[in-house]
């Protein structure tokens, strides 16, 4: 009661003292609770400075006495090499013992294990492992595990191991969200944001904004929620257009090391956008930080600034070429297109029309309509006819009239949340990803876990290939996560969950 504030004023010190009394009676539940208190330093000053050896001894005692949560905790520690050497078999042994006592989190972790097995297995075995994972998620969900509800929702959303069903996914996410789970809240918001691609309803944007706000109230470091709120305020979708609020949300996400958010801060500072006077020097600082975090667009924006020069930013052709090249290496079509222009005209590099054409083809292959149209106009590619490009409405990715962009997301990637190594004793403290792009939560073991970041590219329009490319409305790509998740760069399957 004192720990949760149920019926009495919350008082962790008093709760700790009561657990100490229970420990004298060798009660395993009290011993496990004390381990969590010591691990997270939620103890009176005179009790502090216990080492992990003492913490683990509490968990081991409780587990030896059959305490299911202690077994799950030790399983997590063995699986991730926390204090112990990494030992997946030992972890599975603990999880299975805890499952016999219907510990929902242990069952969820077993589901994650089989999910990863499916990802790594040959095609003939994938469905078998997926089915095991889905069944375990369902079992854990029935026992009340919000993480399992969230994970099952991601399976339905992605059609992984089950038939794709967005209505069922939203139901799972909503179940997790209404139980106060921040990742479920984020996912509810993301589904509403995704639905606007088809509904075009402002109501869906409003719901997305509502759930993103709820997520950051519950988890003030859920970085992707800040990022998407910034996007909604910047574009006036579901909320009044407010560049100051957009900048504030982007700035917070950038402080939590969200690469794309840092680039967005730079974009808003580089041009008026209703802010105070543009500050290109400050914008360049944000671009540099975003580039250090791996955002391709940041390299592109720095290249533009150094190529053209700006107030407070000296022109530097060498850096311009270097940064366009780096953007290109990171797969940004605009980097290839701009380098092609330079090789075509001999600006800052030795003129080489063959190299210019190679780069233009590369840009077209990476999705640049500018490059494709240039190649068509010069006869390198045949003209496209109406109906040649199929609009696959089943795809999660693609632009939408609002300027938002919905990338294809592989299962179990989650929005990123800056958290401590072990987390709080009573709420989730870290989000991790499984899979590539986006948002699924597995995390650490303290009611325990939680975790996006991907980059996107901005297309430009041009009248010809030679002049500077003109900027058009940005599109977004969570190749965040969220949580991204990420990184806000494309991710492969994360073996840590």
């Amino acid at each position: 009661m004192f720990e949760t504030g149920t019926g009495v004023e919350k008082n962790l010190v008093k709760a700790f003292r009561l657990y100490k009394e229970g420990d004298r009676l060798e009660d395993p539940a009290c011993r496990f609770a004390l381990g969590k208190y010591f691990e997270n330093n939620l103890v009176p000053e005179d009790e502090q400075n216990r080492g992990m050896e003492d913490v683990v001894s509490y968990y081991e005692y409780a587990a030896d006495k059959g305490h299911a949560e202690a077994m799950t905790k030790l399983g997590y520690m063995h699986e991730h090499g926390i204090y112990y050497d990494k030992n997946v078999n030992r972890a599975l042994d603990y999880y299975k013992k805890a499952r016999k006592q219907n510990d929902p989190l242990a069952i969820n972790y077993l589901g994650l294990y089989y999910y990863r097995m499916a990802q790594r297995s040959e095609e003939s075995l994938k469905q078998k492992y997926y089915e095991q994972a889905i069944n375990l998620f369902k079992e854990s969900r029935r026992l009340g595990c919000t993480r399992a509800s969230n994970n099952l929702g991601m399976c339905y959303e992605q059609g992984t191991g089950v038939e794709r069903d967005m209505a069922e996914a939203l139901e799972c996410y909503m179940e997790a969200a209404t139980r106060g789970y921040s990742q479920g809240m984020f996912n509810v918001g993301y589904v509403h944001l995704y639905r606007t691609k088809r509904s075009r309803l402002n109501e869906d944007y409003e719901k997305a904004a509502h759930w993103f706000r709820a997520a950051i109230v519950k988890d003030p470091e859920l970085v992707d929620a800040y990022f998407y709120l910034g996007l909604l305020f910047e574009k006036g979708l579901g909320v009044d257009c407010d560049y100051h609020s957009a900048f504030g949300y982007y700035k917070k996400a950038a402080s939590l090391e969200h690469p794309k958010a840092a680039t967005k801060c730079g974009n808003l500072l580089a041009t008026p956008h209703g802010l105070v006077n543009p500050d290109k020097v400050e914008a360049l600082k944000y671009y540099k930080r975003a580039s250090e975090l791996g955002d391709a667009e940041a390299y592109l924006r720095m290249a533009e600034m150094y190529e053209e020069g700006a107030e407070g930013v000296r022109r530097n052709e060498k850096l311009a070429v270097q940064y366009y090249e780096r953007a290109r290496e990171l797969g940004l079509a605009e980097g290839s297109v701009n380098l092609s222009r330079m090789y075509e005209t001999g600006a800052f590099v030795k003129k080489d029309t063959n190299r210019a054409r190679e780069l233009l083809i590369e840009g077209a292959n990476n999705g640049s309509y500018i490059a494709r149209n240039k190649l068509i106009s010069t006869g390198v590619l045949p003209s496209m006819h109406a109906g040649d490009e199929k609009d696959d409405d089943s795809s999660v990715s693609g632009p939408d009239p609002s300027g938002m962009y919905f990338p294809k997301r592989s299962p179990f990637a989650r929005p990123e949340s800056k958290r401590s190594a072990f987390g709080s004793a009573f709420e989730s403290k870290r989000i991790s990803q499984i899979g590539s792009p986006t948002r699924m939560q597995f995390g650490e073991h303290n009611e325990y876990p939680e975790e996006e970041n991907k980059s996107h590219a901005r297309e430009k329009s041009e009248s010809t290939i030679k002049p500077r490319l003109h900027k058009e409305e940005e599109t977004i790509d969570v190749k965040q996560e969220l949580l991204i998740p990420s990184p806000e760069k494309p991710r492969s399957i994360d073996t840590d969950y």
Side-chain angles (χ1 to χ4, degrees):
M1 294 172 64
F2 286 108
E3 181 176 280
T4 60
T6 305
V8 295
E9 184 179 353
K10 186 175 180 178
N11 189 327
L12 294 182
V13 172
K14 185 166 286 190
F16 174 80
R17 299 297 186 199
L18 290 170
Y19 283 137
K20 288 279 284 186
E21 290 180 18
D23 180 46
R24 294 190 189 98
L25 300 175
E26 298 185 345
D27 181 77
C30 291
R31 187 69 63 94
F32 174 68
L34 287 173
K36 293 195 295 183
Y37 272 73
F38 283 120
E39 181 181 350
N40 295 285
N41 205 27
L42 300 172
V43 296
E45 193 171 332
D46 59 334
E47 296 277 3
Q48 292 178 4
N49 300 319
R50 296 285 185 102
M52 273 302 291
E53 184 176 352
D54 293 328
V55 171
V56 169
S57 69
Y58 283 104
Y59 293 148
E60 288 179 340
Y61 176 87
D64 288 343
K65 295 295 183 180
H67 191 275
E69 286 184 75
M71 294 177 191
T72 304
K73 177 66 177 179
L74 289 174
Y76 183 87
M77 295 176 72
H78 277 91
E79 183 169 12
H80 296 281
I82 299 172
Y83 182 74
Y84 304 100
D85 291 336
K86 191 170 183 178
N87 188 329
V88 175
N89 289 332
R90 184 70 171 139
L92 290 175
D93 184 50
Y94 274 118
Y95 293 153
K96 289 174 181 178
K97 287 180 180 177
R99 183 190 181 189
K100 290 178 180 179
Q101 297 189 45
N102 290 326
D103 184 72
L105 192 55
I107 298 167
N108 179 62
Y109 283 163
L110 282 171
L112 294 173
Y113 169 76
Y114 286 110
Y115 178 84
R116 291 198 321 279
M117 287 294 291
Q119 292 283 304
R120 296 168 181 166
S121 298
E122 58 189 40
E123 288 300 321
S124 61
L125 296 175
K126 282 184 180 297
Q127 191 57 33
K128 171 189 170 183
Y129 287 129
Y130 279 137
E131 288 176 1
Q132 287 179 284
I134 295 297
N135 289 335
L136 286 163
F137 288 148
K138 288 180 177 179
E139 181 182 344
S140 180
R141 179 192 182 190
R142 285 194 296 269
L143 292 168
C145 181
T146 55
R147 281 159 185 75
S149 298
N150 189 70
N151 290 349
L152 189 59
M154 186 61 73
C155 290
Y156 280 114
E157 182 183 343
Q158 297 292 340
T160 307
V162 291
E163 185 175 348
R164 187 168 182 265
D165 187 335
M166 289 300 292
E168 189 68 29
L170 183 57
E171 181 180 329
C172 290
Y173 293 149
M174 187 64 76
E175 183 179 279
T178 53
R179 291 181 182 176
Y181 188 52
S182 62
Q183 300 309 307
M185 295 174 186
F186 177 89
N187 280 341
V188 171
Y190 191 93
V191 169
H192 282 295
L193 188 62
Y194 162 71
R195 277 165 47 164
T196 61
K197 182 182 176 185
R198 292 162 175 79
S199 71
R200 320 295 189 220
L201 295 176
N202 195 57
E203 178 185 357
D204 279 320
Y205 287 122
E206 291 172 352
K207 288 179 179 178
H210 166 79
W211 284 106
F212 290 150
R213 283 170 167 151
I216 60 177
V217 169
K218 185 67 177 178
D219 180 357
E221 295 188 355
L222 186 51
V223 60
D224 282 330
Y226 289 106
F227 176 70
Y228 281 109
L229 280 168
L231 285 169
L232 292 174
F233 274 99
E234 181 184 0
K235 297 177 182 297
L237 299 171
V239 294
D240 292 334
C241 182
D242 184 341
Y243 291 113
H244 288 277
S245 292
F247 183 81
Y249 283 119
Y250 286 144
K251 185 176 180 180
K252 175 62 176 178
S255 72
L256 296 172
E257 298 188 350
H258 190 295
K260 184 54 60 187
T263 298
K264 284 286 194 177
C265 286
N267 292 343
L268 287 175
L269 286 168
T271 52
H273 278 302
L275 296 176
V276 288
N277 296 328
D279 187 341
K280 295 201 172 183
V281 173
E282 191 66 19
L284 185 61
K285 291 179 182 178
Y286 276 105
Y287 289 146
K288 285 182 177 177
R289 180 58 184 145
S291 68
E292 290 168 358
L293 294 171
D295 186 60
E297 188 195 346
Y299 284 105
L300 182 73
R301 302 300 162 223
M302 290 195 295
E304 292 172 343
M305 293 181 78
Y306 282 119
E307 181 180 357
E308 298 172 341
E311 184 178 350
V313 181
R314 184 176 297 177
R315 193 178 186 198
N316 188 323
E317 295 89 345
K318 183 178 179 181
L319 283 178
V321 174
Q322 177 182 323
Y323 289 144
Y324 280 137
E325 182 62 41
R326 184 64 182 135
R328 169 189 163 266
E329 290 172 354
L330 291 173
L332 193 58
E334 289 177 292
S336 303
V337 173
N338 279 296
L339 284 171
S340 173
R341 170 179 52 79
M342 289 179 163
Y343 278 103
E344 183 181 28
T345 61
F348 314 143
V349 293
K350 184 178 179 180
K351 187 172 181 177
D352 186 337
T353 55
N354 288 331
R355 180 59 175 155
R357 185 171 68 172
E358 289 173 2
L359 289 164
L360 206 58
I361 292 171
E362 180 180 80
N365 288 335
N366 283 334
S368 170
Y369 287 102
I370 296 169
R372 191 195 65 176
N373 292 338
K374 177 66 175 178
L375 291 168
I376 291 172
S377 69
T378 56
V380 177
L381 288 179
S383 177
M384 298 288 288
H385 298 287
D388 284 351
E389 294 178 87
K390 180 180 178 182
D391 180 16
D392 181 5
D393 192 52
S394 67
S395 173
V396 179
S397 63
D400 135 305
S402 68
M404 307 291 275
Y405 186 86
F406 298 90
K408 287 189 175 178
R409 303 181 302 131
S410 54
F412 297 163
R414 293 289 315 130
E416 193 173 295
S417 180
K418 297 287 289 180
R419 288 300 193 179
S420 62
F422 294 111
S424 160
F426 309 112
E427 65 178 359
S428 66
K429 281 304 215 178
R430 186 172 70 90
I431 303 174
S432 57
Q433 318 93 312
I434 224 182
S436 327
T438 27
R439 325 174 320 275
M440 186 162 182
Q441 155 91 27
F442 313 102
E444 187 175 318
H445 179 92
N446 274 355
E447 203 356 65
Y448 300 148
E450 299 190 64
E451 259 191 40
E452 174 171 29
N453 208 351
K454 271 183 150 190
S455 333
H456 77 276
R458 291 170 57 184
E459 273 297 347
K460 298 178 175 183
S461 60
E462 59 172 12
S463 55
T464 70
I465 199 77
K466 294 183 181 180
R468 289 288 307 131
L469 302 177
H470 302 292
K471 300 172 186 174
E472 72 174 7
E473 187 70 10
E474 295 180 74
T475 58
I476 66 164
D477 181 335
V478 257
K479 292 180 181 178
Q480 170 200 183
E481 246 170 18
L482 322 119
L483 175 302
I484 188 175
S486 216
E488 218 33 46
K489 59 185 177 183
R491 291 188 302 216
S492 58
I493 295 168
D494 195 334
T495 56
D496 194 32
Y497 58 80

